[in-house]
Amino acid sequence: MNSFQTSISTISWAFKITWDTNSRLTAGVVATAILRNLLPAALVLVVKSLVNTISETQSSGEQLIWPILPVLMLGLTISIVEVLSRNLSVYFNERLRDEIDIDVSSRILEHAATLDLFYFEDPRFQDIMARARQNTAGHFSQFITRIIDAAANSVQIISLAVILVFIEPFITVIFLLLGLPYMLAHWKLAKLRYQTEHSRTSRRRWTGYYLAQVLDRGAIPETRLLNLAPLFIRKFSALMAGFRNQNQDIYQKGLSIRITFSILSTVGFYAACAWVAYQALQGSLTIGDVVIFLAVAVRLPKSIENVVFAMTNALEDALYISNMMELLAIKPKIVDGFVPVPATRHAGIEIRDLTFTYPGSKQPVLDHLSLTIRPGESLALVGENGAGKSTLVKLITRFYDPDSGSILMDGTDIREFPVRKLHEKISFVFQEFRRFEATAAENIAFGNWLELLDAPGQVEKLAQLAGVDDIISRLPQGFDTPLGRMFGEHTLSEGQWQKLAIARALAKPASLLILDEPSSSLDARAEFELFSRFRDISAGQTSILISHRFSTVSIADRIVVMDSGRIIEMGTHQELMALSGHYASLYDLHQRKLS
Ligand SMILES: Nc1ncnc2c1ncn2[C@@H]1O[C@H](COP(=O)(O)OP(=O)(O)O)[C@@H](O)[C@H]1O
Ligand SMILES: [Mg+2]
């Protein structure tokens, strides 16, 4: 059984993680679980000795209580220890669950943080991620508890069975035989539950998507105006109803399995009662034996049910835990190199014969592209939507690795640098930059948070450079005003957010600055001013600017025109105009529109 093997290999792994999380709590859980499960058998023995002592005392004609006192004391002690271990076990479990919650969630997050961007664009990976996040921590702590419960309950069954063997071996065999098919049926049901849930992953993500269309702030205006809510709610409900119907089948299977076992074990119990009673009447069993038999036989089916329940659920948990193992097994493809990044103020970039295809797509987006950017040069990239401009700068930043060709920074292939060190050298204002739910100061300081989170003076200087200080000082708490409407009461206009993003990019002492259409919501004049200023600020910094505005583009030292993943023209504004090619025709079109 394949999934069974998975479960077995998961057990040691899960135990190791639990032990590493908190070894003392884990030891506490194990110890109390074992105690809790061993003591019932001891209590049965106490009862037997109590009954026998009473009947011996009776037959000797004495009426004194003292011979049974030690037995009672022993029973009392065992009962108290049992109560203590049962309740301590609950307490240790509760605490361990919280510890595992923290540990497992951070493990998943830390691993996800190492994975390449393209994984997050892959629906199959998103399914894996969704499964790994789906209450894995809960399954983890349950798994450990249930494994221990199953093991300890098995000890209890064995101890009860041993007692029973001495009375009547035949009955023992019947009870144990009953447990096996029950176990198999339950295991199949657990597997069915897991497989059903597994197959639902994409549909579950769809339900989350429909919810977001109705509930997310960003989605609401369009959803409202087009009255899409009823449509999305209907789609959401249809998916949920599908889940409910599947669940119903599973519940019914579970119901019939449990009822069958209960009836069979009850019938078995009464048949065994009849047999034991007959033996007692025949004189081959004592009254004490009968009492023990009753005590054991009442408990045994319950214990068997407990083991089956704990075992199959633990195995089901193991399947869920293997979801996390599946995620952890995915390794980043973009790996660190070991060459130290050169400490230049302005980077030189050389792109050699670069070809790149997005994972899962067939058409290359960049097609044998070569380009050299001199240290300190400011380069503008222009071209129609979809030409591959954003893709090119994402490759320079090593969000993706190329199919073939290479990118060199200051003479070294960027794949030879540690990725984080490369990123420290690059400032990037994205086409879709972030609007952080944080104070205005933090929104800037995040650009270099290790140094700037506690440096308000420097943050204010950066705000001045980006021309955003006026706006911030007009906020009710100035730089300390929380921005964003998820948690706070203040937000900015698109253009103001953009300036904040630019201040953030300036915060980093980078040697390459990339601006990917960051100013689409600024008007042409504001953009021109911003970039003129930018050039002054970043004097000496190599910069790549992607823009559709000719006013801005013409500031650059050199303009590169891209089309379908290739460079088709290159030069200064004057040179390109004189060429009367693609750039010149785009420019003319633009001018005609303006006039
Ligand atoms: N993450 C992605 N996955 C798959 N294809 C993409 C992705 N991003 C962009 N593309 C495709 O690559 C092409 C170039 O996109 P892009 O570099 O964003 O163009 P530009 O920035 O010049 O407008 C487009 O055809 C787009 O559909
Ligand atoms: Mg783009």
Side-chain angles (χ1 to χ4, degrees):
M1 222 186 288
N2 199 5
S3 42
F4 192 79
Q5 276 167 2
T6 321
S7 315
I8 297 301
S9 74
T10 310
I11 292 177
S12 58
W13 184 75
F15 254 116
K16 191 185 161 340
I17 287 196
T18 316
W19 186 261
D20 291 348
T21 303
N22 191 324
S23 51
R24 286 167 70 178
L25 279 178
T26 313
V29 165
V30 174
T32 47
I34 292 174
L35 265 184
R36 192 185 64 197
N37 286 287
L38 269 183
L39 294 179
L43 270 182
V44 168
L45 291 178
V46 170
V47 170
K48 174 191 155 109
S49 124
L50 189 63
V51 171
N52 286 346
T53 317
I54 292 175
S55 68
E56 276 166 24
T57 319
Q58 244 179 356
S59 54
S60 71
E62 288 185 56
Q63 285 171 354
L64 293 172
I65 189 84
W66 66 264
I68 56 171
L69 271 186
V71 188
L72 277 179
M73 287 309 289
L74 185 64
L76 181 66
T77 314
I78 294 178
S79 296
I80 288 175
V81 174
E82 204 228 25
V83 167
L84 283 180
S85 61
R86 195 151 27 91
N87 288 293
L88 273 177
S89 166
V90 172
Y91 169 75
F92 287 145
N93 261 308
E94 285 170 337
R95 283 198 45 201
L96 189 61
R97 183 165 55 240
D98 283 355
E99 298 279 344
I100 294 177
D101 252 342
I102 299 174
D103 198 68
V104 163
S105 311
S106 18
R107 265 173 209 257
I108 290 178
L109 287 177
E110 276 160 18
H111 185 70
T114 67
L115 293 178
D116 311 331
L117 187 60
F118 73 83
Y119 283 122
F120 294 86
E121 296 169 339
D122 178 353
R124 273 164 311 174
F125 173 78
Q126 290 178 53
D127 278 355
I128 292 174
M129 190 70 193
R131 278 199 292 272
R133 285 175 58 186
Q134 196 180 354
N135 191 21
T136 302
H139 284 291
F140 233 99
S141 46
Q142 277 175 357
F143 172 69
I144 300 298
T145 315
R146 282 168 173 166
I147 282 285
I148 297 169
D149 261 359
N153 263 299
S154 306
V155 173
Q156 188 179 326
I157 289 189
I158 292 171
S159 59
L160 290 176
V162 165
I163 297 175
L164 207 53
V165 163
F166 281 108
I167 301 173
E168 188 49 71
F170 178 60
I171 294 172
T172 320
V173 173
I174 289 190
F175 271 121
L176 294 182
L177 277 187
L178 215 57
L180 207 63
Y182 185 56
M183 174 115 167
L184 283 178
H186 253 294
W187 169 229
K188 269 176 86 168
L189 189 68
K191 242 174 40 175
L192 179 67
R193 271 202 300 265
Y194 171 78
Q195 278 159 355
T196 311
E197 196 51 52
H198 191 278
S199 69
R200 276 178 196 171
T201 317
S202 295
R203 279 175 290 158
R204 278 229 186 273
R205 288 203 295 121
W206 273 111
T207 60
Y209 174 75
Y210 291 133
L211 276 184
Q213 299 319 302
V214 179
L215 299 179
D216 274 10
R217 196 169 45 98
I220 287 173
E222 205 151 343
T223 303
R224 280 291 151 82
L225 196 65
L226 302 177
N227 192 26
L228 287 170
L231 177 68
F232 289 141
I233 293 172
R234 199 184 324 146
K235 284 172 182 277
F236 172 82
S237 307
L239 285 169
M240 296 303 278
F243 297 162
R244 180 202 54 205
N245 295 346
Q246 280 181 318
N247 283 351
Q248 228 164 51
D249 284 351
I250 295 176
Y251 298 157
Q252 271 164 15
K253 285 202 174 95
L255 181 68
S256 26
I257 291 174
R258 279 190 299 273
I259 286 187
T260 313
F261 175 75
S262 295
I263 289 180
L264 279 180
S265 64
T266 310
V267 169
F269 171 71
Y270 279 100
C273 273
W275 175 251
V276 168
Y278 173 71
Q279 297 275 309
L281 290 175
Q282 294 286 304
S284 44
L285 289 179
T286 67
I287 283 294
D289 289 334
V290 175
V291 170
I292 295 182
F293 164 77
L294 286 175
V296 171
V298 167
R299 225 173 229 282
L300 199 56
K302 190 70 209 150
S303 299
I304 292 179
E305 191 158 13
N306 283 347
V307 168
V308 169
F309 190 77
M311 272 288 270
T312 50
N313 282 305
L315 292 175
E316 188 181 353
D317 290 328
L319 293 177
Y320 279 97
I321 290 172
S322 65
N323 289 340
M324 179 176 165
M325 293 171 85
E326 187 184 10
L327 174 70
L328 294 186
I330 295 175
K331 296 293 173 218
K333 294 223 166 65
I334 292 180
V335 289
D336 278 338
F338 299 100
V339 176
V341 179
T344 46
R345 260 282 282 142
H346 22 266
I349 303 287
E350 193 186 342
I351 296 165
R352 287 187 187 158
D353 201 30
L354 196 70
T355 298
F356 174 71
T357 316
Y358 276 104
S361 138
K362 291 196 178 67
Q363 194 73 19
V365 176
L366 298 177
D367 189 7
H368 298 283
L369 186 143
S370 297
L371 173 68
T372 303
I373 307 170
R374 292 185 300 276
E377 187 178 27
S378 88
L379 186 97
L381 270 182
V382 298
E384 277 150 45
N385 287 327
K389 307 179 296 291
S390 296
T391 306
L392 179 62
V393 287
K394 281 183 188 160
L395 263 92
I396 294 176
T397 319
R398 236 193 139 198
F399 287 138
Y400 305 92
D401 274 344
D403 307 347
S404 64
S406 53
I407 299 169
L408 284 69
M409 183 187 264
D410 296 326
T412 309
D413 193 318
I414 56 171
R415 283 171 288 198
E416 295 187 18
F417 299 134
V419 179
R420 192 166 303 148
K421 293 290 171 196
L422 173 71
H423 286 173
E424 281 172 12
K425 300 287 282 185
I426 302 173
S427 266
F428 203 139
V429 183
F430 295 89
Q431 209 164 347
E432 303 196 358
F433 56 84
R434 304 299 302 163
R435 297 155 178 78
F436 291 106
E437 298 279 332
T439 65
E442 284 166 337
N443 259 285
I444 297 173
F446 281 175
N448 187 8
W449 61 272
L450 284 177
E451 291 184 15
L452 293 185
L453 274 183
D454 296 316
Q458 273 171 279
V459 169
E460 277 173 40
K461 238 180 260 161
L462 288 163
Q464 269 169 17
L465 284 177
V468 76
D469 53 329
D470 279 355
I471 304 156
I472 295 177
S473 58
R474 263 180 269 129
L475 291 167
Q477 297 155 58
F479 278 86
D480 296 325
T481 313
L483 297 179
R485 296 290 310 202
M486 260 176 90
F487 305 103
E489 270 136 39
H490 302 279
T491 188
L492 302 174
S493 76
E494 280 298 292
Q496 292 167 339
W497 273 115
Q498 234 147 12
K499 286 185 177 170
L500 212 56
I502 287 166
R504 180 160 63 241
L506 293 174
K508 204 193 241 185
S511 59
L512 173 66
L513 185 66
I514 298 172
L515 301 157
D516 186 357
E517 297 186 48
S519 49
S520 46
S521 46
L522 295 183
D523 56 52
R525 206 171 60 97
E527 185 184 295
F528 179 80
E529 273 173 20
L530 186 69
F531 285 114
S532 312
R533 183 141 30 135
F534 224 109
R535 259 183 66 117
D536 299 340
I537 303 163
S538 62
Q541 233 175 18
T542 313
S543 61
I544 302 174
L545 160 68
I546 302 175
S547 172
H548 286 294
R549 299 231 174 84
F550 289 90
S551 47
T552 338
V553 164
S554 56
I555 309 175
D557 296 333
R558 197 156 48 119
I559 300 162
V560 167
V561 186
M562 280 183 70
D563 184 47
S564 310
R566 293 161 185 263
I567 293 173
I568 50 170
E569 288 168 17
M570 196 159 28
T572 61
H573 178 72
Q574 283 75 17
E575 286 166 357
L576 290 176
M577 288 308 289
L579 201 67
S580 300
H582 195 80
Y583 181 84
S585 72
L586 279 177
Y587 186 79
D588 286 343
L589 200 71
H590 179 73
Q591 292 304 58
R592 234 178 293 141
K593 249 196 279 175
L594 288 183
S595 62

PDB file of all heavy atoms in Angstrom, residues 121 358-359 361 365 383-392 394 400 431 516-517, ligand 1:
ATOM      1  N   GLU A 121       3.428  31.368 -10.154  1.00  0.00           N
ATOM      2  CA  GLU A 121       2.581  31.612 -11.320  1.00  0.00           C
ATOM      3  C   GLU A 121       2.069  30.307 -11.912  1.00  0.00           C
ATOM      4  O   GLU A 121       1.402  30.311 -12.926  1.00  0.00           O
ATOM      5  CB  GLU A 121       3.385  32.388 -12.384  1.00  0.00           C
ATOM      6  CG  GLU A 121       3.790  33.761 -11.911  1.00  0.00           C
ATOM      7  CD  GLU A 121       4.791  34.436 -12.821  1.00  0.00           C
ATOM      8  OE1 GLU A 121       5.488  33.740 -13.589  1.00  0.00           O
ATOM      9  OE2 GLU A 121       4.882  35.663 -12.771  1.00  0.00           O
ATOM     10  N   TYR A 358       8.800  31.915 -20.846  1.00  0.00           N
ATOM     11  CA  TYR A 358       8.148  31.724 -19.541  1.00  0.00           C
ATOM     12  C   TYR A 358       7.820  30.242 -19.347  1.00  0.00           C
ATOM     13  O   TYR A 358       7.399  29.580 -20.283  1.00  0.00           O
ATOM     14  CB  TYR A 358       6.864  32.550 -19.447  1.00  0.00           C
ATOM     15  CG  TYR A 358       7.129  33.981 -19.038  1.00  0.00           C
ATOM     16  CD1 TYR A 358       7.084  35.005 -19.977  1.00  0.00           C
ATOM     17  CD2 TYR A 358       7.434  34.295 -17.721  1.00  0.00           C
ATOM     18  CE1 TYR A 358       7.339  36.328 -19.603  1.00  0.00           C
ATOM     19  CE2 TYR A 358       7.688  35.605 -17.341  1.00  0.00           C
ATOM     20  CZ  TYR A 358       7.638  36.612 -18.277  1.00  0.00           C
ATOM     21  OH  TYR A 358       7.895  37.892 -17.895  1.00  0.00           O
ATOM     22  N   PRO A 359       8.054  29.719 -18.147  1.00  0.00           N
ATOM     23  CA  PRO A 359       7.734  28.315 -17.892  1.00  0.00           C
ATOM     24  C   PRO A 359       6.281  28.038 -18.278  1.00  0.00           C
ATOM     25  O   PRO A 359       5.385  28.820 -17.949  1.00  0.00           O
ATOM     26  CB  PRO A 359       7.932  28.167 -16.380  1.00  0.00           C
ATOM     27  CG  PRO A 359       8.851  29.274 -15.993  1.00  0.00           C
ATOM     28  CD  PRO A 359       8.580  30.391 -16.944  1.00  0.00           C
ATOM     29  N   SER A 361       5.105  28.108 -21.236  1.00  0.00           N
ATOM     30  CA  SER A 361       4.733  28.726 -22.506  1.00  0.00           C
ATOM     31  C   SER A 361       5.699  28.213 -23.592  1.00  0.00           C
ATOM     32  O   SER A 361       6.768  27.699 -23.290  1.00  0.00           O
ATOM     33  CB  SER A 361       4.770  30.244 -22.348  1.00  0.00           C
ATOM     34  OG  SER A 361       5.338  30.871 -23.460  1.00  0.00           O
ATOM     35  N   VAL A 365       9.879  34.877 -25.156  1.00  0.00           N
ATOM     36  CA  VAL A 365       9.505  36.281 -24.981  1.00  0.00           C
ATOM     37  C   VAL A 365      10.697  37.177 -25.318  1.00  0.00           C
ATOM     38  O   VAL A 365      10.536  38.290 -25.796  1.00  0.00           O
ATOM     39  CB  VAL A 365       9.032  36.517 -23.532  1.00  0.00           C
ATOM     40  CG1 VAL A 365       8.740  37.983 -23.289  1.00  0.00           C
ATOM     41  CG2 VAL A 365       7.801  35.684 -23.244  1.00  0.00           C
ATOM     42  N   GLY A 383       8.811  50.440 -26.411  1.00  0.00           N
ATOM     43  CA  GLY A 383       8.268  49.372 -27.248  1.00  0.00           C
ATOM     44  C   GLY A 383       6.828  49.151 -26.878  1.00  0.00           C
ATOM     45  O   GLY A 383       6.386  49.554 -25.789  1.00  0.00           O
ATOM     46  N   GLU A 384       6.088  48.515 -27.790  1.00  0.00           N
ATOM     47  CA  GLU A 384       4.668  48.339 -27.530  1.00  0.00           C
ATOM     48  C   GLU A 384       4.428  47.365 -26.372  1.00  0.00           C
ATOM     49  O   GLU A 384       5.337  46.635 -25.964  1.00  0.00           O
ATOM     50  CB  GLU A 384       3.976  47.830 -28.809  1.00  0.00           C
ATOM     51  CG  GLU A 384       3.636  48.989 -29.736  1.00  0.00           C
ATOM     52  CD  GLU A 384       3.642  48.584 -31.203  1.00  0.00           C
ATOM     53  OE1 GLU A 384       3.064  47.518 -31.498  1.00  0.00           O
ATOM     54  OE2 GLU A 384       4.221  49.324 -32.010  1.00  0.00           O
ATOM     55  N   ASN A 385       3.202  47.350 -25.871  1.00  0.00           N
ATOM     56  CA  ASN A 385       2.850  46.415 -24.801  1.00  0.00           C
ATOM     57  C   ASN A 385       3.124  44.984 -25.243  1.00  0.00           C
ATOM     58  O   ASN A 385       2.790  44.612 -26.359  1.00  0.00           O
ATOM     59  CB  ASN A 385       1.364  46.528 -24.446  1.00  0.00           C
ATOM     60  CG  ASN A 385       1.090  47.800 -23.678  1.00  0.00           C
ATOM     61  OD1 ASN A 385       1.931  48.254 -22.913  1.00  0.00           O
ATOM     62  ND2 ASN A 385      -0.086  48.378 -23.900  1.00  0.00           N
ATOM     63  N   GLY A 386       3.764  44.234 -24.388  1.00  0.00           N
ATOM     64  CA  GLY A 386       4.040  42.840 -24.724  1.00  0.00           C
ATOM     65  C   GLY A 386       5.344  42.658 -25.468  1.00  0.00           C
ATOM     66  O   GLY A 386       5.692  41.540 -25.855  1.00  0.00           O
ATOM     67  N   ALA A 387       6.119  43.738 -25.669  1.00  0.00           N
ATOM     68  CA  ALA A 387       7.382  43.619 -26.407  1.00  0.00           C
ATOM     69  C   ALA A 387       8.439  42.839 -25.614  1.00  0.00           C
ATOM     70  O   ALA A 387       9.372  42.292 -26.195  1.00  0.00           O
ATOM     71  CB  ALA A 387       7.905  45.012 -26.744  1.00  0.00           C
ATOM     72  N   GLY A 388       8.286  42.790 -24.299  1.00  0.00           N
ATOM     73  CA  GLY A 388       9.236  42.038 -23.472  1.00  0.00           C
ATOM     74  C   GLY A 388      10.097  42.929 -22.585  1.00  0.00           C
ATOM     75  O   GLY A 388      11.090  42.462 -22.017  1.00  0.00           O
ATOM     76  N   LYS A 389       9.715  44.180 -22.425  1.00  0.00           N
ATOM     77  CA  LYS A 389      10.524  45.124 -21.645  1.00  0.00           C
ATOM     78  C   LYS A 389      10.578  44.708 -20.166  1.00  0.00           C
ATOM     79  O   LYS A 389      11.663  44.601 -19.591  1.00  0.00           O
ATOM     80  CB  LYS A 389       9.935  46.549 -21.758  1.00  0.00           C
ATOM     81  CG  LYS A 389       9.731  47.017 -23.191  1.00  0.00           C
ATOM     82  CD  LYS A 389       9.129  48.397 -23.273  1.00  0.00           C
ATOM     83  CE  LYS A 389       7.729  48.523 -22.699  1.00  0.00           C
ATOM     84  NZ  LYS A 389       6.667  47.824 -23.464  1.00  0.00           N
ATOM     85  N   SER A 390       9.395  44.470 -19.586  1.00  0.00           N
ATOM     86  CA  SER A 390       9.365  44.082 -18.162  1.00  0.00           C
ATOM     87  C   SER A 390      10.108  42.772 -17.968  1.00  0.00           C
ATOM     88  O   SER A 390      10.825  42.587 -16.976  1.00  0.00           O
ATOM     89  CB  SER A 390       7.926  43.918 -17.691  1.00  0.00           C
ATOM     90  OG  SER A 390       7.251  45.145 -17.751  1.00  0.00           O
ATOM     91  N   THR A 391       9.937  41.860 -18.929  1.00  0.00           N
ATOM     92  CA  THR A 391      10.600  40.568 -18.813  1.00  0.00           C
ATOM     93  C   THR A 391      12.113  40.746 -18.780  1.00  0.00           C
ATOM     94  O   THR A 391      12.801  40.114 -17.964  1.00  0.00           O
ATOM     95  CB  THR A 391      10.187  39.673 -19.992  1.00  0.00           C
ATOM     96  OG1 THR A 391       8.764  39.606 -20.033  1.00  0.00           O
ATOM     97  CG2 THR A 391      10.759  38.280 -19.844  1.00  0.00           C
ATOM     98  N   LEU A 392      12.630  41.624 -19.620  1.00  0.00           N
ATOM     99  CA  LEU A 392      14.077  41.830 -19.671  1.00  0.00           C
ATOM    100  C   LEU A 392      14.607  42.317 -18.320  1.00  0.00           C
ATOM    101  O   LEU A 392      15.590  41.775 -17.810  1.00  0.00           O
ATOM    102  CB  LEU A 392      14.415  42.838 -20.778  1.00  0.00           C
ATOM    103  CG  LEU A 392      15.905  43.165 -20.910  1.00  0.00           C
ATOM    104  CD1 LEU A 392      16.713  41.927 -21.269  1.00  0.00           C
ATOM    105  CD2 LEU A 392      16.142  44.260 -21.945  1.00  0.00           C
ATOM    106  N   LYS A 394      13.258  41.921 -15.451  1.00  0.00           N
ATOM    107  CA  LYS A 394      13.088  40.875 -14.435  1.00  0.00           C
ATOM    108  C   LYS A 394      14.201  39.834 -14.537  1.00  0.00           C
ATOM    109  O   LYS A 394      14.574  39.217 -13.542  1.00  0.00           O
ATOM    110  CB  LYS A 394      11.727  40.199 -14.582  1.00  0.00           C
ATOM    111  CG  LYS A 394      10.605  41.042 -13.974  1.00  0.00           C
ATOM    112  CD  LYS A 394       9.279  40.335 -14.063  1.00  0.00           C
ATOM    113  CE  LYS A 394       8.152  41.247 -13.651  1.00  0.00           C
ATOM    114  NZ  LYS A 394       6.864  40.761 -14.171  1.00  0.00           N
ATOM    115  N   TYR A 400      13.967  35.404 -12.917  1.00  0.00           N
ATOM    116  CA  TYR A 400      13.967  34.194 -13.739  1.00  0.00           C
ATOM    117  C   TYR A 400      15.378  33.993 -14.269  1.00  0.00           C
ATOM    118  O   TYR A 400      16.147  34.941 -14.349  1.00  0.00           O
ATOM    119  CB  TYR A 400      13.024  34.340 -14.945  1.00  0.00           C
ATOM    120  CG  TYR A 400      11.607  34.720 -14.612  1.00  0.00           C
ATOM    121  CD1 TYR A 400      11.219  36.053 -14.581  1.00  0.00           C
ATOM    122  CD2 TYR A 400      10.660  33.737 -14.337  1.00  0.00           C
ATOM    123  CE1 TYR A 400       9.908  36.403 -14.280  1.00  0.00           C
ATOM    124  CE2 TYR A 400       9.351  34.081 -14.050  1.00  0.00           C
ATOM    125  CZ  TYR A 400       8.980  35.419 -14.012  1.00  0.00           C
ATOM    126  OH  TYR A 400       7.695  35.762 -13.722  1.00  0.00           O
ATOM    127  N   GLN A 431       6.069  48.104 -12.032  1.00  0.00           N
ATOM    128  CA  GLN A 431       4.847  48.553 -12.681  1.00  0.00           C
ATOM    129  C   GLN A 431       3.689  48.472 -11.668  1.00  0.00           C
ATOM    130  O   GLN A 431       2.867  49.355 -11.580  1.00  0.00           O
ATOM    131  CB  GLN A 431       4.574  47.624 -13.861  1.00  0.00           C
ATOM    132  CG  GLN A 431       3.839  48.268 -14.989  1.00  0.00           C
ATOM    133  CD  GLN A 431       3.943  47.429 -16.261  1.00  0.00           C
ATOM    134  OE1 GLN A 431       4.755  46.507 -16.356  1.00  0.00           O
ATOM    135  NE2 GLN A 431       3.122  47.736 -17.214  1.00  0.00           N
ATOM    136  N   ASP A 516      10.130  50.577 -13.965  1.00  0.00           N
ATOM    137  CA  ASP A 516       9.283  49.940 -14.975  1.00  0.00           C
ATOM    138  C   ASP A 516       7.927  50.629 -14.998  1.00  0.00           C
ATOM    139  O   ASP A 516       7.040  50.287 -14.212  1.00  0.00           O
ATOM    140  CB  ASP A 516       9.136  48.446 -14.670  1.00  0.00           C
ATOM    141  CG  ASP A 516       8.392  47.728 -15.778  1.00  0.00           C
ATOM    142  OD1 ASP A 516       7.945  48.399 -16.738  1.00  0.00           O
ATOM    143  OD2 ASP A 516       8.243  46.489 -15.682  1.00  0.00           O
ATOM    144  N   GLU A 517       7.757  51.557 -15.891  1.00  0.00           N
ATOM    145  CA  GLU A 517       6.517  52.335 -16.010  1.00  0.00           C
ATOM    146  C   GLU A 517       5.930  52.676 -14.645  1.00  0.00           C
ATOM    147  O   GLU A 517       4.768  52.418 -14.386  1.00  0.00           O
ATOM    148  CB  GLU A 517       5.458  51.553 -16.801  1.00  0.00           C
ATOM    149  CG  GLU A 517       5.874  51.266 -18.229  1.00  0.00           C
ATOM    150  CD  GLU A 517       4.755  50.619 -19.024  1.00  0.00           C
ATOM    151  OE1 GLU A 517       3.623  51.137 -18.948  1.00  0.00           O
ATOM    152  OE2 GLU A 517       5.006  49.617 -19.688  1.00  0.00           O
TER     153      GLU A 517
HETATM  154  N1  LIG B   1       4.512  35.776 -15.768  1.00  0.00           N
HETATM  155  C1  LIG B   1       4.296  35.513 -17.066  1.00  0.00           C
HETATM  156  N2  LIG B   1       3.986  34.263 -17.466  1.00  0.00           N
HETATM  157  C2  LIG B   1       3.792  34.002 -18.765  1.00  0.00           C
HETATM  158  N3  LIG B   1       3.863  34.915 -19.736  1.00  0.00           N
HETATM  159  C3  LIG B   1       4.145  36.189 -19.402  1.00  0.00           C
HETATM  160  C4  LIG B   1       4.380  36.548 -18.043  1.00  0.00           C
HETATM  161  N4  LIG B   1       4.635  37.864 -17.996  1.00  0.00           N
HETATM  162  C5  LIG B   1       4.587  38.310 -19.273  1.00  0.00           C
HETATM  163  N5  LIG B   1       4.284  37.302 -20.112  1.00  0.00           N
HETATM  164  C6  LIG B   1       4.174  37.417 -21.570  1.00  0.00           C
HETATM  165  O1  LIG B   1       5.404  37.883 -22.058  1.00  0.00           O
HETATM  166  C7  LIG B   1       5.219  38.848 -23.046  1.00  0.00           C
HETATM  167  C8  LIG B   1       6.024  40.096 -22.709  1.00  0.00           C
HETATM  168  O2  LIG B   1       5.527  40.660 -21.536  1.00  0.00           O
HETATM  169  P1  LIG B   1       6.198  41.914 -20.836  1.00  0.00           P
HETATM  170  O3  LIG B   1       7.646  41.663 -20.695  1.00  0.00           O
HETATM  171  O4  LIG B   1       5.435  42.178 -19.601  1.00  0.00           O
HETATM  172  O5  LIG B   1       5.930  43.058 -21.908  1.00  0.00           O
HETATM  173  P2  LIG B   1       6.099  44.632 -21.764  1.00  0.00           P
HETATM  174  O6  LIG B   1       6.609  44.942 -20.429  1.00  0.00           O
HETATM  175  O7  LIG B   1       7.021  45.009 -22.865  1.00  0.00           O
HETATM  176  O8  LIG B   1       4.722  45.200 -21.989  1.00  0.00           O
HETATM  177  C9  LIG B   1       3.727  39.104 -23.156  1.00  0.00           C
HETATM  178  O9  LIG B   1       3.273  38.466 -24.324  1.00  0.00           O
HETATM  179  C10 LIG B   1       3.146  38.434 -21.937  1.00  0.00           C
HETATM  180  O10 LIG B   1       1.937  37.800 -22.272  1.00  0.00           O
END
